[in-house]
Amino acid sequence: MNLETIAKKYFEKSSEIEITQMIVKGASKEEFDELRRQEDIAKNSPELKFLPSALYVTTYRKLVNGQLMPYGSSQHNVEDLKLNILLRKNKQFCWLLAETYEAFEDFLEEVYAYLGFTNNETWPMSDFGEITLLELPSKDFEWYQSRVEHKKNKPSSILTRLRLLYPELSKIEAKNALGINAKIYLTLIEKLRHIIVHNHGIVTDKTRFIEKVMKDSALFNNGKYDVAHKEFIESHFGTGKYENLILLLEIKINSDAPINSYHDVFNELSGFLLAYAAYIYEIIKNHEIAQNQQLTK
């Protein structure tokens, strides 16, 4: 396994996820367009105004005789269906974010295994487990991968080691062309993924969630924090009855603009992970090139 293969695998997976997001966006738009058409029909036909736009009946088959049994039904007007589309679209975006973060974690773990495999000095002794130094030359890449699986506190422990090995990583996290704090992005996405997978994308205590993100990003000191960081985290949730729901839908930028323009929240988060992974790849590659040049002198 080489570094280029690891990076290529991650980028291909991320591209696949982003294309899926585009397909979901397109399908949702088609559904919305159809509902708008129904609204126009209703406006021109007053007698249809109070009729449901959709009637759903849910059923199951009895184990004894296979008879179809209804157990619920619901009627939905156009506004109900619009909301359903948005919530369903958001749920799909949430699961795609979870998937893209897991791909990022896989990338970090493979990169870390690669570092240990190609240069034992990059790993602390605790990562090797109960093995002697004389045995290491016989171990293949898969063995190093298995050791990474046992590493505690991933991915933060891997990132901590990478920052120690490559100080420029910490520098770019704090100051970069995007003008963002990379640590808060990493922490937020990790915790959003946890809530999506384990609690359907709903936080039980948003205030506590926000504080946890800032503490783990080293941005919460004795109860003090930057309001901009708090607002950034809050911007990934809904409002009103959905204030505790993770919301990753597009946000319209300027309602007065001659064309519709949107800020793609999902793409911002997934794009950050791509940029961060690409930078890790670049600094490791550059260090390898520099080391090889030193050896050939």
Side-chain angles (χ1 to χ4, degrees):
M1 180 67 75
N2 58 51
L3 192 59
E4 289 78 9
T5 301
I6 293 170
K8 182 181 178 183
K9 177 182 174 182
Y10 168 63
F11 272 82
E12 286 178 348
K13 179 62 177 176
S14 296
S15 178
E16 175 188 316
I17 294 170
E18 188 171 345
I19 289 170
T20 301
Q21 188 234 5
M22 293 177 186
I23 293 170
V24 171
K25 286 168 68 174
S28 297
K29 183 180 182 302
E30 287 181 6
E31 288 187 82
F32 253 100
D33 290 343
E34 173 59 23
L35 287 177
R36 289 193 183 100
R37 188 185 69 81
Q38 290 185 28
E39 277 187 305
D40 291 339
I41 293 173
K43 286 177 184 177
N44 297 321
S45 307
E47 69 276 9
L48 300 177
K49 184 176 180 180
F50 299 103
L51 292 178
S53 295
L55 174 64
Y56 297 99
V57 178
T58 51
T59 62
Y60 72 95
R61 289 191 180 276
K62 296 181 70 172
L63 292 176
V64 177
N65 55 20
Q67 181 182 352
L68 195 64
M69 297 293 295
Y71 69 91
S73 64
S74 60
Q75 295 181 347
H76 299 272
N77 58 31
V78 171
E79 291 305 316
D80 294 332
L81 294 174
K82 281 182 179 179
L83 179 60
N84 180 273
I85 291 171
L86 288 175
L87 292 175
R88 178 159 35 90
K89 178 183 176 183
N90 184 62
K91 183 178 290 187
Q92 289 173 298
F93 280 14
C94 284
W95 280 106
L96 289 173
L97 181 67
E99 191 175 351
T100 200
Y101 181 74
E102 288 164 6
F104 174 73
E105 280 192 325
D106 291 342
F107 165 80
L108 287 179
E109 291 184 14
E110 289 199 338
V111 163
Y112 195 67
Y114 167 83
L115 289 174
F117 178 60
T118 56
N119 183 358
N120 295 158
E121 293 181 3
T122 60
W123 278 22
M125 291 305 298
S126 57
D127 283 348
F128 292 99
E130 296 180 1
I131 189 172
T132 66
L133 293 175
L134 292 175
E135 293 176 278
L136 287 178
S138 67
K139 300 303 180 183
D140 57 15
F141 179 75
E142 286 69 26
W143 182 85
Y144 284 86
Q145 281 185 301
S146 69
R147 290 305 310 163
V148 175
E149 288 178 8
H150 292 88
K151 190 171 178 62
K152 296 180 179 179
N153 301 319
K154 295 179 296 182
S156 60
S157 59
I158 292 176
L159 290 171
T160 298
R161 187 64 182 172
L162 290 178
R163 291 176 187 124
L164 182 64
L165 293 170
Y166 309 103
E168 56 265 56
L169 182 58
S170 292
K171 292 178 181 178
I172 202 76
E173 286 178 334
K175 187 176 181 180
N176 50 71
L178 302 181
I180 63 174
N181 182 303
K183 283 189 177 180
I184 197 171
Y185 269 77
L186 286 168
T187 307
L188 175 63
I189 300 170
E190 177 189 6
K191 296 193 182 306
L192 289 178
R193 178 260 170 202
H194 182 84
I195 297 298
I196 290 165
V197 172
H198 297 285
N199 205 40
H200 310 291
I202 301 171
V203 295
T204 53
D205 187 335
K206 192 164 69 175
T207 299
R208 184 179 178 185
F209 175 86
I210 292 171
E211 290 181 359
K212 180 65 174 171
V213 171
M214 288 198 286
K215 284 178 181 177
D216 290 357
S217 306
L219 298 170
F220 193 86
N221 301 311
N222 298 320
K224 298 179 181 180
Y225 56 84
D226 188 326
V227 174
H229 291 145
K230 178 176 181 288
E231 291 175 348
F232 167 70
I233 299 168
E234 286 181 327
S235 69
H236 295 84
F237 290 86
T239 57
K241 65 182 291 188
Y242 299 106
E243 64 179 355
N244 288 342
L245 175 69
I246 295 170
L247 197 65
L248 302 179
L249 299 176
E250 303 93 330
I251 299 173
K252 196 166 186 177
I253 296 173
N254 185 355
S255 58
D256 298 324
I259 58 173
N260 289 330
S261 52
Y262 295 88
H263 169 60
D264 191 324
V265 178
F266 172 89
N267 192 260
E268 177 192 18
L269 298 178
S270 63
F272 162 75
L273 293 178
L274 285 162
Y276 193 89
Y279 187 75
I280 289 175
Y281 167 76
E282 289 166 7
I283 58 175
I284 295 175
K285 196 65 183 174
N286 289 338
H287 273 253
E288 288 181 338
I289 292 171
Q291 288 173 351
N292 290 334
Q293 288 175 342
Q294 287 283 65
L295 292 173
T296 55
K297 284 182 179 180

